[in-house]
Amino acid sequence: MKHVLVIRLSALGDVAIMAPLVKAYAEANRDVTFTVAGPPLLEPLFEGEANVHYLGLKKKQSFIKIYKALNAVGADTVIDLHRVNRVGFAIITLRLRHLFNPHFRIFALHKGKVSRWFYLHHLWRKARKPQYVRYDDVFRHAGLKCNNALMCKCVSVDVPNTDTITQSHNSAIVGVAPFSQHEGKIWPWEYTERLVLMLAERGRKVLLFGSKEEAPQLEALAVRHENISSVAGRQAFRDELEIIKGLSLMVSMDSANMHFASAMGTPVVSIWGATHPDFGFYGYGQDRANALCANLECQPCSAFGQKPCRYGDYRCLRAITPEMALEKIESLLAEK
């Protein structure tokens, strides 16, 4: 094995989970070259190891284009952590091309099926294997070796002169990322406002994170107190990662920001609604005790939070109050 191609084209959080894992295996297998095929945005997460290269690849293109890009890498081992049809067709084409090459091997993630009991009652729920462990199983099955201590390493992003925001405040700096892709994973906005203002009034520096589309709403909240600032849409992703690395902790939904913070070694207080931390997508290396989840009988109602609430009120999210989140945040800051 000389060259390993690791494929995961989405979602952002699932790709971010890979970063510490890939870098740990790269450090433990210096004689192997790793090429990661993933979203172009996330390239900074995989920098720092000389034998790790990144192939920015958009998922919404034909399998022929994906095949051509993957074939150009020239890898002798493929690790498919995505397992979707478009990528699958490209890999099958790669297999046919190397049909008579005994050294060309393919290993794929076993997604598994979720028992229907998982959705019926939290007392019967059996926690799924964390996603990063499922990824690790594929690497080990491929014959790669890694010291478990290396897997605890966080991503290092070397960006000079981008930490002025975090170093200019003497108090604890709390990041808040209040949005997610699906409504079932977004805390009520009035709860976010209340928590942010309570933190600011206690002298905490609060940095708001979000996309360019969410920036106006976050800016409107930021102007309400001098201790609140918004970095949404203002920084390149590489710079934003460095800011996250300098936080005391991050408050996040079940979203990509939770995984970005986890990759940077920043503690996360996560808020869960339609999904559940036991489903396997909890932040890499995070303390499970810092996940705020109501554990209602209807929870979780979906794997990714995309299904509408059967009651129409997302009571799972409303059951977690700003005061509960504040108590958890303050207890963690006191420990630090």
Side-chain angles (χ1 to χ4, degrees):
M1 185 187 307
K2 296 181 179 179
H3 194 160
V4 177
L5 171 62
V6 185
I7 306 170
R8 179 82 207 202
L9 305 187
S10 69
L12 296 182
D14 293 313
V15 180
I17 294 173
M18 284 171 30
L21 199 65
V22 170
K23 292 169 79 76
Y25 272 97
E27 183 172 340
N29 300 270
R30 292 293 188 186
D31 57 333
V32 178
T33 298
F34 292 81
T35 296
V36 178
L41 173 69
L42 301 189
E43 182 174 359
L45 283 174
F46 294 86
E47 295 176 349
E49 297 293 337
N51 56 333
V52 176
H53 307 287
Y54 198 82
L55 173 63
L57 203 58
K58 296 180 180 179
K59 67 172 183 176
K60 292 186 178 180
Q61 54 184 316
S62 69
F63 86 90
I64 292 296
K65 290 184 178 180
I66 294 176
Y67 159 73
K68 289 181 178 179
L70 299 182
N71 183 58
V73 172
D76 57 26
T77 302
V78 176
I79 294 180
D80 178 15
L81 300 181
H82 204 169
R83 290 291 303 277
V84 296
N85 290 340
R86 189 178 286 106
V87 173
F89 291 148
I91 292 177
I92 289 173
T93 309
L94 272 178
R95 173 74 273 181
L96 292 174
R97 179 180 177 84
H98 296 273
L99 188 60
F100 300 104
N101 182 356
H103 302 292
F104 184 81
R105 300 186 300 166
I106 298 172
F107 301 89
L109 174 71
H110 176 65
K111 288 188 174 182
K113 294 183 178 180
V114 182
S115 168
R116 65 187 181 91
W117 294 110
F118 189 91
Y119 295 103
L120 294 183
H121 197 286
H122 68 273
L123 293 177
W124 300 339
R125 181 170 49 240
K126 181 181 178 180
R128 299 187 74 201
K129 185 182 292 186
Q131 187 77 343
Y132 80 88
V133 176
R134 299 160 70 84
Y135 288 167
D136 183 56
D137 289 343
V138 186
F139 279 87
R140 293 187 184 277
H141 185 54
L144 292 163
K145 305 298 181 183
C146 182
N147 184 341
N148 287 335
L150 288 177
M151 290 177 58
C152 297
K153 291 184 60 177
C154 300
V155 174
S156 175
V157 179
D158 183 16
V159 183
N161 301 323
T162 58
D163 56 354
T164 54
I165 295 179
T166 55
Q167 288 186 355
S168 61
H169 203 273
N170 294 327
S171 183
I173 305 168
V174 179
V176 178
F179 297 109
S180 185
Q181 183 178 3
H182 301 295
E183 184 180 1
K185 300 195 291 185
I186 302 177
W187 216 22
W189 178 247
E190 60 269 23
Y191 284 20
T192 296
E193 287 182 311
R194 201 156 81 225
L195 174 64
V196 168
L197 290 171
M198 285 192 296
L199 286 169
E201 289 165 359
R202 285 171 171 253
R204 308 301 189 187
K205 175 68 175 178
V206 182
L207 298 182
L208 304 176
F209 292 81
S211 66
K212 289 183 179 179
E213 293 73 22
E214 297 154 355
Q217 190 172 357
L218 297 175
E219 291 286 356
L221 176 56
V223 298
R224 296 176 61 179
H225 199 285
E226 61 181 2
N227 284 344
I228 308 173
S229 300
S230 173
V231 297
R234 295 185 174 185
Q235 306 285 337
F237 181 65
R238 184 190 308 274
D239 299 342
E240 194 168 295
L241 287 177
E242 186 68 13
I243 293 172
I244 292 174
K245 187 176 181 180
L247 297 175
S248 301
L249 62 83
M250 169 74 87
V251 180
S252 173
M253 308 299 108
D254 173 17
S255 68
N257 282 288
M258 172 177 65
H259 300 295
F260 297 156
S262 300
M264 304 310 295
T266 299
V268 178
V269 173
S270 52
I271 297 170
W272 298 74
T275 56
H276 197 281
D278 287 346
F279 200 81
F281 297 105
Y282 192 52
Y284 179 93
Q286 295 293 334
D287 187 343
R288 174 64 175 79
N290 297 335
L292 300 178
C293 183
N295 285 318
L296 303 182
E297 291 188 1
C298 58
Q299 195 178 8
C301 59
S302 68
F304 308 109
Q306 78 278 26
K307 295 182 179 179
C309 175
R310 69 184 69 173
Y311 302 110
D313 57 5
Y314 290 105
R315 57 192 61 184
C316 53
L317 287 163
R318 293 188 174 276
I320 303 170
T321 66
E323 289 73 22
M324 293 167 59
L326 180 66
E327 181 180 0
K328 173 62 70 174
I329 292 167
E330 291 295 344
S331 65
L332 289 178
L333 292 178
E335 291 177 7
K336 293 189 69 174

